[in-house]
Amino acid sequence: MLIIRPYRPSDYLGAKKTLEEGSLYDPIWDSRKNLSKMISIDPKSIIVATDGKNIVGVQYVVAMGWEALFFRLAVGKKYRKRGIGRALIKKAEAIVKKRGVKEVSFFVTSKNRKLYKLYKSWGYSPSDTHTYKNMYKRLSPGR
C-alpha cells in the first residue's frame, strides 16, 4: 500500500538512495542537516512515498505564498511506472492549494524530453515568457 506523508529525519537514508537513483542527489543541498532545516521551517516542504517499509519516492515543495516550486521529484528505480510520481505531485498540489497558492512551477532540463512530456500530460504547460538558466552561488560559512 502506498503512503504519502511528510518526510522525517529517520527517512534520510531512504530519501538519499531514491534521489541518487534519480541522479538528483547533491551532497550539499540534500545533506541530512539541510533536509532537517527545511522541515524545521516547513514540515511539509519534503514529502515521501513509502510502501509501508521503504522510501520509494521523494518530492520537495517550496511554497512562497503566491506560487510554489516543486523539485527533486524522484522515484526509486524498482518502483517506477506505478503512478508514484503522480501521487507525490497530487499530494504536493493539495498541500500548496490549501495554502492559497495559485500557480506551481517545475524546473525541467530541456534535455529531458521524456520528463517534459510527462509533466505536460499531468496538466503542466511550458512557459513561453521565461527562459531561465539556473545560476547559483555557494556561500561560505560566516564568521
Side-chain angles (χ1 to χ4, degrees), residues 49-69:
T50 175
D51 63 3
K53 185 176 180 183
N54 303 301
I55 300 299
V56 300
V58 179
Q59 172 72 62
Y60 292 7
V61 180
V62 178
M64 299 169 280
W66 66 95
E67 183 181 24
L69 175 64

Side-chain angles (χ1 to χ4, degrees), residues 7-8 10-21 25 30 35 46-48 55-58 60 74:
Y7 168 88
R8 302 176 196 140
S10 60
D11 297 328
Y12 182 74
L13 292 177
K16 178 183 176 190
K17 179 183 177 198
T18 302
L19 290 167
E20 288 172 336
E21 288 182 2
Y25 178 76
D30 304 311
L35 298 192
I46 306 169
I47 55 175
V48 295
I55 300 299
V56 300
V58 179
Y60 292 7

